[in-house]
């Protein structure tokens, strides 16, 4: 643990009426599940580093570790509640008797039950930003957002967010109750959201929160082939773009990242994050990516990316990459916004 002072990142406003938050947030998912074993002491030290570095948007969800991630964050939140903007999510249902089961629930009764469970696990009185994690097209958006709006009126939630929705869905939801943030995958490798969601967010003053801005570690060089390099419990082994021939083809696409990183004396992770951050200027909206890590050193590396500006020539080198990526983001894309784009 270092005692040297940490340079704080700059701030932006969350939505049009929310609090000011760090221009980069923190995704806590990997602490509890999905990316192999976690050193809990190191993870807690990393959480402390978020506050020190000005990373104030802390993102979790009830699905992460089946609630364990929210419980893990509770002591940290108790110590830093006034310094943190807390985001969590509902909608993905799991079953204790079937670890592989994933259902999607957006109905009002489920939402009311989910928020109470999250408040209890997080040990907080109010959730700052409450997201609908995935969209169930069988449930009218008006019902879902209406139920979420009631949580705001009851003082259990301050601001509302959506994840993996199209531009049309974002507009429809915003007409029911103001939506403060949209969280979807957005990176050099994944640009589905540029079809309609980014434009709608810009028009409505909705902050865009890119998840997996580092391509789940692939853009950092942390692994080359998930099937060979990662442990059996790592869910990236089941994502099409990270294994076999797809992984080999996609690794070759990283050459421009390496070239630009060398020119800046930076890491490929920092260049990938700088690219995401500069979507703010490209699309005229506020962008707050939420890279995740379990190491203090990586967190500080990530925040360093907020101080890198890529030139027009460098952006041009990175522009064609997404269109050449082999393999989908998920083995089943049916729950993503891309599946519902017209």
């Amino acid at each position: 643990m270092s005692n040297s002072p940490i340079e704080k990142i700059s701030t932006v406003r969350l939505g049009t009426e929310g609090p000011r938050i760090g221009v980069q947030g923190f995704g806590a998912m990997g602490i509890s599940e999905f990316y192999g074993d976690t050193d809990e002491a190191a993870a807690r030290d990393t959480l402390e580093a978020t506050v020190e570095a000005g990373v104030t948007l802390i993102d979790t969800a009830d699905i992460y570790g089946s609630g364990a991630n929210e419980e893990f964050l509770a002591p940290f939140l108790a110590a830093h509640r006034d310094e943190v903007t807390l985001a969590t999510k509902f909608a993905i249902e799991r079953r204790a008797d079937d670890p592989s089961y994933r259902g999607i629930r957006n109905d009002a009764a489920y939402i009311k039950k989910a928020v109470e469970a999250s408040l209890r696990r997080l040990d907080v009185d109010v959730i700052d930003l409450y997201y609908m994690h995935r969209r169930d097209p069988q449930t009218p958006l008006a019902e879902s957002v209406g139920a979420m709006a009631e949580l705001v009126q009851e003082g259990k939630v301050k601001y509302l967010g959506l994840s993996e929705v199209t531009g049309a869905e974002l507009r429809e939801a915003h007409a029911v109750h103001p939506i403060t943030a949209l969280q979807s995958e957005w990176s050099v490798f994944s640009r589905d959201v540029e079809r309609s969601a980014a434009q709608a967010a810009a028009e409505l003053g909705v902050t865009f929160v890119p998840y997996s801005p580092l391509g789940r570690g692939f853009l950092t060089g942390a692994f080359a082939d998930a099937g060979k390099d990662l442990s059996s419990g790592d869910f990236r082994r089941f994502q099409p773009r990270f294994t076999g021939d797809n992984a080999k083809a996609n690794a070759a696409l990283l050459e421009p990242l390496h070239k630009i990183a060398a020119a800046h004396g930076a890491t490929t992770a920092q260049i990938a994050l700088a690219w995401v951050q500069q979507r703010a200027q490209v699309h005229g909206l506020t962008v707050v990516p939420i890279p995740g890590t379990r190491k203090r050193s990586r967190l500080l590396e990530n925040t360093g990316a907020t101080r890198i500006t890529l030139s027009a020539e460098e952006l041009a080198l990175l522009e064609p990459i997404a269109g050449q990526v082999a393999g989908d983001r998920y083995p089943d894309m049916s729950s993503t916004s891309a599946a519902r784009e017209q």
Side-chain angles (χ1 to χ4, degrees):
M1 194 181 303
S2 173
N3 293 319
S4 58
I6 295 175
E7 184 175 354
K8 286 187 180 290
I9 60 175
S10 59
T11 64
V12 291
R13 186 163 302 285
L14 179 63
T16 56
E17 298 181 355
R20 292 198 69 83
I21 58 174
V23 73
Q24 185 180 109
F26 179 79
M29 181 182 82
I31 290 174
S32 298
E33 196 179 10
F34 304 109
Y35 294 128
D37 295 336
T38 292
D39 178 332
E40 289 197 0
R44 292 205 179 280
D45 182 48
T46 302
L47 283 173
E48 292 297 326
T50 63
V51 175
E52 296 167 27
V55 176
T56 55
L57 178 65
I58 307 297
D59 182 274
T60 182
D62 59 5
I63 185 183
Y64 303 158
S66 297
N69 197 255
E70 291 180 326
E71 291 174 345
F72 184 86
L73 288 175
F76 168 76
L77 294 170
H80 299 286
R81 191 65 189 95
D82 294 341
E83 302 165 89
V84 165
T85 297
L86 169 65
T88 192
K89 316 178 198 71
F90 73 89
I92 304 179
E93 188 177 36
R94 302 179 78 167
R95 292 176 179 167
D97 60 349
D98 182 1
S100 64
Y101 177 80
R102 300 287 188 275
I104 298 177
R105 294 276 302 274
N106 291 173
D107 56 282
Y110 181 80
I111 293 170
K112 292 179 185 300
K113 180 181 176 182
V115 74
E116 295 297 342
S118 286
L119 286 166
R120 184 178 65 253
R121 287 188 294 261
L122 291 160
D123 194 22
V124 296
D125 296 325
V126 61
I127 293 164
D128 298 316
L129 176 59
Y130 199 43
Y131 286 103
M132 186 170 77
H133 205 164
R134 290 292 185 272
R135 168 98 168 94
D136 173 15
Q138 303 307 311
T139 303
L141 260 179
E143 175 185 341
S144 305
V145 179
M148 295 169 73
E150 289 181 13
L151 302 180
V152 176
Q153 294 162 7
E154 293 167 3
K156 296 173 181 175
V157 168
K158 291 183 181 179
Y159 305 99
L160 304 184
L162 300 174
S163 179
E164 289 284 352
V165 297
T166 66
E169 290 168 338
L170 179 59
R171 290 188 179 92
E172 181 183 348
H174 196 78
V176 177
H177 185 281
I179 302 299
T180 296
L182 170 59
Q183 179 178 146
S184 293
E185 186 165 355
W186 202 0
S187 73
V188 171
F189 263 31
S190 301
R191 298 176 63 176
D192 307 352
V193 298
E194 294 177 29
R195 297 180 194 173
S196 69
Q199 179 183 351
E203 291 173 2
L204 299 171
V206 175
T207 292
F208 209 110
V209 180
Y211 74 78
S212 297
L214 297 176
R216 304 191 186 280
F218 191 82
L219 297 175
T220 73
F223 66 98
D225 185 325
K228 297 177 181 178
D229 301 338
L230 303 178
S231 63
S232 60
D234 197 306
F235 92 125
R236 290 170 291 184
R237 291 168 60 94
F238 306 102
Q239 292 186 294
R241 60 180 50 171
F242 298 145
T243 58
D245 290 341
N246 285 349
K248 184 176 181 180
N250 293 336
L253 300 176
L254 300 179
E255 182 54 37
L257 276 171
H258 290 292
K259 180 179 179 180
I260 296 168
H264 282 265
T267 64
T268 55
Q270 289 176 318
I271 300 306
L273 283 171
W275 181 90
V276 174
Q277 289 154 191
Q278 283 183 243
R279 299 300 91 191
Q281 288 75 47
V282 173
H283 294 275
L285 77 171
T286 301
V287 176
V288 182
I290 48 168
T293 182
R294 293 169 288 187
K295 297 179 180 178
R296 172 181 281 259
S297 60
R298 292 299 185 196
L299 179 108
L300 300 181
E301 176 185 330
N302 291 343
T303 57
T306 67
R307 294 178 277 274
I308 295 174
T309 301
L310 303 179
S311 69
E313 292 77 15
E314 290 168 336
L315 292 173
L317 285 175
L318 301 174
E319 183 64 26
I321 291 177
Q324 301 173 51
V325 173
D328 284 331
R329 297 194 274 129
Y330 295 99
D332 178 1
M333 289 284 286
S334 62
S335 296
T336 67
S337 59
R340 299 188 305 277
E341 289 283 5
Q342 299 299 316

